Amino acid sequence: MANRTMLSGNEAEEGWISEPEGLITDVDLRTHENNLAHRTREIDRKRLIVRRGQPFSIALQCNGPLPPKHHLELVLHLGKRDEVVIKVQKERGAGDRWWFNQQGAQDEMLLTLHSPADAIIGQYSLAVLMMSPEGRIIEKKDKISFHLLYNPWCKDDVVYLPDETLLQEYMMNENGIIYMGTWNNIKSIHWNYGQFEDYVMDICFEVLDNSNDALRNSQMDIQRRSDPVYVSRIITAMVNSNDDRGILTGRWTEPYSDGVAPYRWTGSVPILRQWSKSGVKAVKYGQCWVFAAVACTVLRCLGIPTRHITNFSSAHDVDGNLSIDFLLDEQLEPIESKGRRDSSWNFHCWTESWMRRDDLPEGNDGWQVLDPTPQELSDGVFCCGPCPVTAIKEGNLGVKYDAPFIFAEVNADIIFWIVQENGQRRKIKADQTSVGKNISTKSVYGDFREDVTLHYKYPEGSKKEREVYEKSGRRVTDPTDESAEPARLQLSIKHAKPVFGTDFDVIIEVENKGDQDAHVQLTVLAMAVTYTSVYRGECQRQMTTVKVPAHKAQKEVLHLRYDDYAKCVSDDHLIRVKAFVGAAGENEPIMTVTDIPLSRPEVFIQVSKKVVKGKQVTADISFTNPLPVTLRDVVLTVEGAGLLSSTEVLPHADVAPGQKVFVRFPFSPMRTGVRKLLVDIDADKLKDVKGVANVIVRKKRRLLP
């Protein structure tokens, strides 16, 4: 941290002289001008909020000129107990110190304060002291409060991002898109980050104040808040509540009855407000996309450019061997192991934040991975990152923080083993290309997906990819026996895009590339799983003997009815189908696996054509129950940054099969601009139905006199 001139907590009080009438009668923080120049008007229009490394001015209203040979001194206080006190220099010195200059005109003095680009972020209290020629305090105007944030528009700030298009998205956009589903069937939901909503900034600083570091040593913690590496690491720890006063409790299986199911959230603001209002008690419940979205809100609000990332086919390598091992019994069902185990998630979400890494060698600046989902300990704390994306791509696994774990998330092998009755393992499938696919974020140019996979890894099979693997210690040889002949049988699974509540077919195709007919035993197993690959139950099993003529393909059909999967499907609406073929003459059995996401019904939203700030408008929402059973306890929730807080508008209704529901509700927009109205619908047998509508809010027209 830069050198700073400090005063003791009571030094500024020495020589205090109280006079009946002071020279300074009032202080104008010039909030409108300052907040506009510092791009903080959306946060608050009444309080002064500025960014470091950029000057701001306040005006002192006086009842006369400053007496001859008298001068002003400014003192800044930080912390609830004034843990840090900074004397502001009168003249410009080194760039690492606060300084000010003043201009006087008639009954006003304009003070322009200059903060260093590495100043501590937080709530400051400013005291203006009028000093006598002898150095005594003649008059004091204190408790002048303002907030200081990081400044990605300042080239000397380590979070400087020299692209206004990126800044408008990763700093100023309160709405985002989160990508989910599977790598070959990508879904998306809209999310309300709401970093400019009322009191969100205050909650962000409350999060910092309740970290373990702050509670242990508040003075040291406050001084370290100049460093976004430190602050971002604190945030990733505090978003989960595993070992601190964190915001969210994670839960990946039902029941969620004592809280809110993770899929019901549509924005960060209700979560942050509930945490604060409850006396910093963890909110129930979150999963990876919720953890990442809340972190994105907090980091953007504090001034660090941040984006939400989804990694499809994401590996969780517990033992650090860069291999994800799945053990199956001879019925192809997962073998539950004691203790922690490797896993592969259909998707996993984290954030990337932009910053210069002065603590690392050159080449590690730019986007940094930050993962607040509690998975592994990092220096004894449940957090992950920041880790340079470039280090992951280049295989530099010695770089801080947590590079080996993140590298495995996008690069690990997946190996399936059958455990036989005698306890021996038989490898049936090894895959070096499936992990880390279609790594996604919202585009800065609109509501569509940007693929950033090549930021994390070189193209599959390229020379550079092999060089990185050799550096990292990952195996680069083909996992199969190179001397073996190519398998004459090939297995594939095909399916349509089914809607939850309908019956559908899965087609399994066995192709024989050999010169002789093949008689094979085909086993097909459909099971319900979560997006984190947790087994929920068997939906259907089919075993057949199939004759496949030479150079031909044979198709078998697995019919899946709603009644088959409804009894065990998870809230993620995901069916995993495994097909297994054993045939005489084959060196190894053949297995293929595919995940089938079941889509939800569409939600239709219509908002009044003319929407004006402060004037009541209506929104019409409709959807149709696609299930062959009645939906009970239907709850419809709406929210939108600048539109309305999270509100239930259809509490606990019943909807018959095929019935169309129509809901009309009023609301009064609070802020102008392009806004998004987000809708979530949940019921006893249908979860996580989402809808979104754009709303353009205009200013009130002023009538001329």
Side-chain angles (χ1 to χ4, degrees), residues 559-671:
H559 301 284
L560 275 175
R561 298 174 302 141
Y562 171 73
D563 291 341
D564 293 331
Y565 61 79
K567 61 193 177 196
C568 58
V569 72
S570 73
D571 295 333
D572 299 320
H573 299 81
L574 197 63
I575 303 297
R576 176 166 292 169
V577 177
K578 295 179 181 177
F580 179 85
V581 163
E586 289 297 310
N587 293 323
E588 295 289 346
I590 305 168
M591 187 180 80
T592 189
V593 181
T594 192
D595 288 332
I596 306 175
L598 307 175
S599 61
R600 284 76 149 182
E602 188 174 358
V603 179
F604 298 93
I605 307 170
Q606 185 71 42
V607 182
S608 305
K609 290 184 178 179
K610 292 184 179 180
V611 181
V612 178
K613 175 186 173 183
K615 287 194 173 183
Q616 190 177 93
V617 296
T618 58
D620 296 332
I621 301 172
S622 62
F623 78 101
T624 300
N625 176 11
L627 304 188
V629 297
T630 298
L631 294 177
R632 305 196 184 280
D633 294 323
V634 179
V635 177
L636 190 152
T637 308
V638 294
E639 75 167 296
L643 296 177
L644 77 166
S645 299
S646 181
T647 306
E648 288 187 3
V649 295
L650 182 65
H652 309 292
D654 290 349
V655 182
Q659 179 183 349
K660 184 175 182 179
V661 177
F662 178 85
V663 178
R664 171 171 290 175
F665 72 96
F667 65 97
S668 299
M670 300 171 285
R671 288 188 280 144

Side-chain angles (χ1 to χ4, degrees), residues 174 194-201 269 273 640-642 670-671:
E174 292 185 87
Q195 67 266 29
F196 302 142
E197 292 284 85
D198 289 347
Y199 305 110
V200 167
M201 180 193 68
V269 178
R273 286 178 175 166
M670 300 171 285
R671 288 188 280 144

Side-chain angles (χ1 to χ4, degrees), residues 315-328 335 337 340-344 412-417 425 427 429-430 475:
H316 183 169
D317 183 19
V318 170
D319 53 17
N321 67 349
L322 293 175
S323 173
I324 306 302
D325 298 297
F326 289 113
L327 305 182
L328 309 174
I335 296 176
S337 59
R340 300 164 66 246
R341 60 182 178 85
D342 289 347
S343 60
S344 176
D413 297 341
I414 293 182
I415 302 177
F416 289 91
W417 306 83
R425 295 184 182 185
K427 185 193 299 183
K429 185 178 179 63
R475 291 192 305 274

Side-chain angles (χ1 to χ4, degrees), residues 403-416:
F405 180 76
I406 300 168
F407 183 86
E409 287 184 301
V410 299
N411 285 301
D413 297 341
I414 293 182
I415 302 177
F416 289 91

Side-chain angles (χ1 to χ4, degrees), residues 121-183:
I121 64 164
Q123 182 176 3
Y124 284 76
S125 179
L126 170 66
V128 179
L129 313 176
M130 187 171 72
M131 310 298 294
S132 72
E134 297 78 27
R136 294 183 302 159
I137 299 174
I138 303 299
E139 184 178 343
K140 176 181 179 182
K141 198 76 173 179
D142 61 357
K143 298 181 181 178
I144 303 169
S145 179
F146 67 92
H147 287 80
L148 189 74
L149 305 176
Y150 294 115
N151 192 354
W153 287 271
C154 173
K155 62 181 178 59
D156 295 322
D157 196 320
V158 293
V159 299
Y160 173 60
L161 180 56
D163 188 320
E164 186 60 31
T165 301
L166 300 185
L167 286 165
Q168 287 301 312
E169 179 67 37
Y170 303 137
M171 277 291 299
M172 304 303 289
N173 195 350
E174 292 185 87
N175 300 293
I177 296 178
I178 295 173
Y179 295 97
M180 312 169 82
T182 61
W183 72 270

Side-chain angles (χ1 to χ4, degrees), residues 301-360:
C301 186
L302 294 176
I304 303 175
T306 302
R307 61 187 185 182
H308 196 285
I309 298 290
T310 300
N311 176 40
F312 288 96
S313 297
S314 188
H316 183 169
D317 183 19
V318 170
D319 53 17
N321 67 349
L322 293 175
S323 173
I324 306 302
D325 298 297
F326 289 113
L327 305 182
L328 309 174
D329 61 22
E330 293 186 313
Q331 302 301 313
L332 300 186
E333 293 187 357
I335 296 176
E336 295 298 329
S337 59
K338 295 180 180 180
R340 300 164 66 246
R341 60 182 178 85
D342 289 347
S343 60
S344 176
W345 297 11
N346 285 93
F347 68 91
H348 179 53
C349 298
W350 56 70
T351 63
E352 287 179 3
S353 289
W354 183 273
M355 64 187 75
R356 189 172 70 239
R357 291 294 296 270
D358 291 341
D359 60 322
L360 295 179

